[in-house]
Amino acid sequence: MEQAVTFGQIVRERRGSQGLTQSELAHRAGCAPITVRKIEADALRPSVQLAELLAQALSVPDTEQL
């Protein structure tokens, strides 16, 4: 059985492909770096608002946003 891709995995991959650090992404999204670390580790599920801010900070096209 295949596991679904998590939001944290998507954030980690997008951030890495853009060469951003967790601190840089946190600054762009207006949250603490520890929050990004927890989301990427799938230890924290972001609110809808934070997920939208992260998607904007990572330039995720509207068509790819869940």
Side-chain angles (χ1 to χ4, degrees):
M1 183 166 97
E2 290 184 35
Q3 287 185 334
V5 176
T6 65
F7 184 75
Q9 290 171 325
I10 294 168
V11 170
R12 186 173 43 254
E13 287 177 16
R14 286 253 182 198
R15 181 183 59 77
S17 70
Q18 294 181 21
L20 294 172
T21 65
Q22 290 175 333
S23 293
E24 291 169 331
L25 177 57
H27 179 56
R28 288 183 182 189
C31 67
I34 187 71
T35 303
V36 174
R37 281 194 287 280
K38 287 182 177 182
I39 289 169
E40 288 186 357
D42 293 322
L44 177 69
R45 185 175 178 191
S47 66
V48 172
Q49 294 86 1
L50 181 54
E52 289 174 350
L53 289 171
L54 288 168
Q56 288 175 347
L58 292 169
S59 303
V60 176
D62 290 340
T63 56
E64 291 183 27
Q65 293 183 22
L66 300 175

